[in-house]
Amino acid sequence: MKYRAAVAGATGYAGGELLRLLLAHPNIEVGAVTAARSAGSLLGEHHPHLVPLADRVVEPTDAEHLAGHDIVFLALPHGASGEIAARLGPDVLVVDCAADHRLADPAKWQHYYHSDHAGTWPYGLPELPGQRDRLAHTKRISVPGCNPTASTLALLPAVTAGLISCDDVVVVLATAPSGAGKKLATTYLASEIMGSATPYQVGGIHRHTPEMEQNLIACGAADPHVSFTPMLVPMTRGILATCTARLSDPSITADDVYAAYQKAYATEAFVHLLPAGVWPQTQATLGANIAHIQATVDPHTGRLVAIAAIDNLAKGTAGAAVQCTNLALGLDETTGLTTIGVAP
């Protein structure tokens, strides 16, 4: 069966990655491509690598141009999805790649995003306990943030197996500037980024912090507290998340941890546990809907150390959107997705 999909925000990085993946999907054909300021231009002006769609005219992002599709992907700035989604019918599968529908607590949304909460949709991280059942045949999907995806997958087996206490979780995460979208800002100029690593939103103010804690609760943590420090690094795509937490029992060994991760991820198509002693690299995940994971114990401090690498635009956004769309449509979860990275 073929489904017709529209992509709103098609000229941005996430929109472009969505279109790249959809062009390879055997069950989905690309319908309208829309944007705001770039409406009226040709898609090839923004994404010359998308040769089959280069001559498509970018339409305005409104309910009229998004109507008539089986699926609508929203790759819009935070705060813009709610209004558009509310005007789409209940029979349309709407997949929101922004943050508008991720948080369950309206108060936390208002605290971190400073606007009205648009509501909560099924959360698009299938690897969470019980989440595939919630995503199956749903008509609304909220795609996770790229940083929470990496940190959650790094910590999930340790939480579900009861190996760590989540009252003191520390996440230090290196991320590429493409995660911030295509907006023009001095911070993201090549002359500012090249040869430099820069922390930002330090001190618990990053908007992905409550999402990380929400995910740990979904894994079984009672009252998690996450200290999250992101760093902007000079690479185009990728995330490397280093996560640490206190062990629940000082007798837990690195072998215990590795065995728990093997058990948790044995059947996961899009999570790859590396051989013991081999650590994730962002270059290995480039263009792939895959997370590379490794974990061990620091016996000196009695802490777990877990590291995850993902492509922020693939498993971190567009790949996750397609993965969840497959579940909602009743397709094989892996349809149209690859775990094979591009190197060098």
Side-chain angles (χ1 to χ4, degrees):
M1 186 172 179
K2 281 279 190 178
Y3 300 90
R4 192 162 178 264
V7 176
T11 58
Y13 291 137
E17 185 71 354
L18 269 167
L19 291 169
R20 183 181 75 87
L21 296 177
L22 294 177
L23 284 170
H25 199 293
N27 299 98
I28 299 177
E29 63 179 22
V30 177
V33 293
T34 79
R37 286 174 295 181
S38 50
S41 61
L42 296 179
L43 189 67
E45 297 175 33
H46 309 278
H47 298 305
H49 63 296
L50 301 178
V51 175
L53 300 174
D55 293 332
R56 289 284 189 95
V57 176
V58 179
E59 305 287 352
T61 295
D62 53 38
E64 177 185 353
H65 289 92
L66 296 176
H69 295 83
D70 303 299
I71 312 163
V72 174
F73 293 96
L74 301 176
L76 303 173
H78 300 320
S81 299
E83 181 180 353
I84 292 290
R87 300 178 63 186
L88 299 174
D91 295 330
V92 180
L93 172 55
V94 184
V95 184
D96 185 10
C97 294
D100 294 35
H101 301 94
R102 292 175 190 161
L103 296 182
D105 186 341
K108 288 187 176 180
W109 169 270
Q110 291 167 359
H111 176 77
Y112 283 90
Y113 290 89
H114 313 294
S115 63
D116 292 334
H117 188 227
T120 305
W121 291 358
Y123 189 74
L125 190 61
E127 293 83 3
L128 284 175
Q131 202 63 20
R132 285 185 173 89
D133 290 339
R134 299 183 182 97
L135 292 167
H137 308 296
T138 184
K139 291 296 184 182
R140 296 292 186 268
I141 296 170
S142 179
V143 178
C146 51
N147 299 325
T149 293
S151 58
T152 301
L153 293 176
L155 292 168
L156 183 153
V159 180
T160 57
L163 299 179
I164 59 173
S165 170
C166 289
D167 61 349
D168 179 22
V169 175
V170 177
V171 177
V172 178
L173 183 147
T175 186
S178 58
K182 264 189 175 180
K183 62 187 176 186
L184 295 176
T186 302
T187 307
Y188 306 119
L189 294 176
S191 56
E192 300 291 333
I193 292 173
M194 299 307 295
S196 180
T198 307
Y200 65 98
Q201 294 186 21
V202 178
I205 63 174
H206 195 284
R207 292 171 168 181
H208 284 169
T209 301
E211 190 178 342
M212 292 178 181
E213 294 178 341
Q214 179 175 284
N215 289 356
L216 293 179
I217 292 171
C219 293
D223 185 24
H225 288 77
V226 175
S227 174
F228 173 41
T229 303
M231 290 189 297
L232 193 65
V233 297
M235 57 184 178
T236 302
R237 298 160 69 130
I239 285 175
L240 189 72
T242 301
C243 310
T244 73
R246 288 189 302 107
L247 296 173
S248 58
D249 186 327
S251 67
I252 293 171
T253 67
D255 288 342
D256 297 329
V257 167
Y258 195 81
Y261 276 68
Q262 283 182 310
K263 181 179 179 181
Y265 288 140
T267 61
E268 289 294 347
F270 297 118
V271 182
H272 176 50
L273 178 64
L274 295 167
V278 179
W279 293 95
Q281 303 176 35
T282 55
Q283 64 177 354
T285 65
L286 185 66
N289 191 59
I290 191 78
H292 285 197
I293 307 287
Q294 187 58 273
T296 192
V297 165
D298 177 355
H300 179 66
T301 60
R303 294 181 75 86
L304 170 91
V305 180
I307 298 180
I310 64 170
D311 182 328
N312 58 295
L313 294 178
K315 180 60 174 165
T317 308
V322 173
Q323 183 181 347
C324 295
T325 296
N326 288 336
L327 287 169
L329 296 176
L331 302 173
D332 187 291
E333 191 172 334
T334 65
T335 305
L337 296 169
T338 182
T339 60
I340 302 169
V342 178

